[in-house]
Amino acid sequence: MTNDELIRRDLATVWHPCTQMKDTETMAPIPIRRGEGVWLEDFDGNRYIDAVSSWWVNIFGHANPAINDRIKTQLDTLEHVMLAGFSHEPAVELAERLIAATPAGLTRAFYADNGSAAVEVALKMSFHYWRNTGHGDKTRFINLSNSYHGETLGALAVGDVALYKKTYEPLLLKPLTARGPDCYHREPGVSWAEHSRAVFADMEALLAEHAHETCAVIVEPLLQCAGHMRMYDPVYLELLREACDRYGVHLIADEIATGFGRTGTLFACEQAGEGGISPDFMCVSKGLTAGYLPLSVTLTTEDVYRAFYDDYANMSAFLHSHSYTGNPLACAAALATLDEFERRDQITVNRRLATHMANALAPLAEHPNVAEVRQVGMVAAVELVADKATRTPFDWRERRGLDVYRHALTRGALLRPLGDVIYFMPPYVITPEQIDHLAAVAAEGIERAVST
Ligand SMILES: *Cc1c(COP(=O)(O)O)cnc(C)c1O
């Protein structure tokens, strides 16, 4: 099998996600034969560093021996059983360990099989909680501008990235959108913390006006990934937790992308205030299984759990199910993932890697077409603009970011951008030398992309 052979068969049958299929006429999908560590290898033997962790899921490298072994053992024991009326050891152990690892107060784990589904569960559970407790007038959600929570209709509705959402607007429920704390928009000389704190006034005003009809506020803690890797200060989360309590509104932390060490702590919520904040719902997926298998968990509190716990005839149970909810193979992958964090002391290792990444990318900040290099933990982003002083973006139709992507592929790196934002979100098994290579490749790619 060669690249060309597989591409031909692919294009005859497969409809790819997040892709204008006509683009494949000039940019065919790259058929991957195997993976190992940070490397992906195609059918012609070309190798690429997976600098975006295969859409932010792969944290311990491809074909990780420890995770492979755990899944293989599970495969010979039990591949799947439904979780309604039945249970299994991986689901129980994973619930126990996630409850121990996540912020205090989260005591119940509800399984689903992808990130969007975990968000749907949180939205439905919050609404249903208020209904069960005599607050049926609470039907709305507050989100942040530039947020992303998935692409099923409910999750899409509480997001705010027009690229994914605009077309489907007539089908969607209408959230109340607060100005997000995205620090790219801060005035010169203003710190991240000052900006994030000042912007909170908008959230405060929305809550003051709409708390009576609002179920929950949903946010991505610290980092809006799909919204062009925009970042904000933890003080915003501290203020938000306090305000949600004061107004009697749930807080949903969507840690689907930020969870499992990505922002420098195991969960981003840990960085807010003294010792972190506890949301009422926390959604996790992506890194949960280290990029092996689809799985998600919505964690919630005893208070929420109790509001559904009643005699059957009262019809207050939470009914939401997917066929593969809590799949044992996926739970086994997640347990192996948690083991890897402990065995490798990964949070400490990431601190060193993050510092290396900051140093490697720092020179790019001086480039005349780079508005900003920003970073939180193991995510760094380079924002390309047409004019540095005014931060005027390039015309999006010029697709400059794509030029960087194409160049990187010729230099052994998978650097798939978000528009004109080039970002680095590598597996944690990357080496400092590989980080240096990525930085060099990005610098070359940016030079090419802006000089046409
Ligand atoms: C990826 C993502 C989702 C959706 O998860 P899927 O598994 O792709 O459905 C939701 N929220 C955030 C913050 C994400 O990054």
Side-chain angles (χ1 to χ4, degrees), residues 55-57 113-117 119 148-152 155 219-220 223-226 254-258 283 285-286 295-296:
W55 262 352
W56 326 337
V57 297
D113 52 17
N114 66 79
S116 302
V119 170
Y148 177 93
H149 298 290
E151 292 175 48
T152 55
V219 299
E220 298 153 273
L223 169 66
Q224 298 184 314
C225 286
D254 176 352
E255 292 244 17
I256 290 164
T258 54
C283 304
S285 187
K286 292 206 165 108
L295 180 71
S296 65

Side-chain angles (χ1 to χ4, degrees), residues 276-298:
I277 56 143
S278 295
D280 300 287
F281 299 90
M282 183 186 271
C283 304
V284 297
S285 187
K286 292 206 165 108
L288 171 64
T289 62
Y292 267 73
L293 288 160
L295 180 71
S296 65
V297 184
T298 305

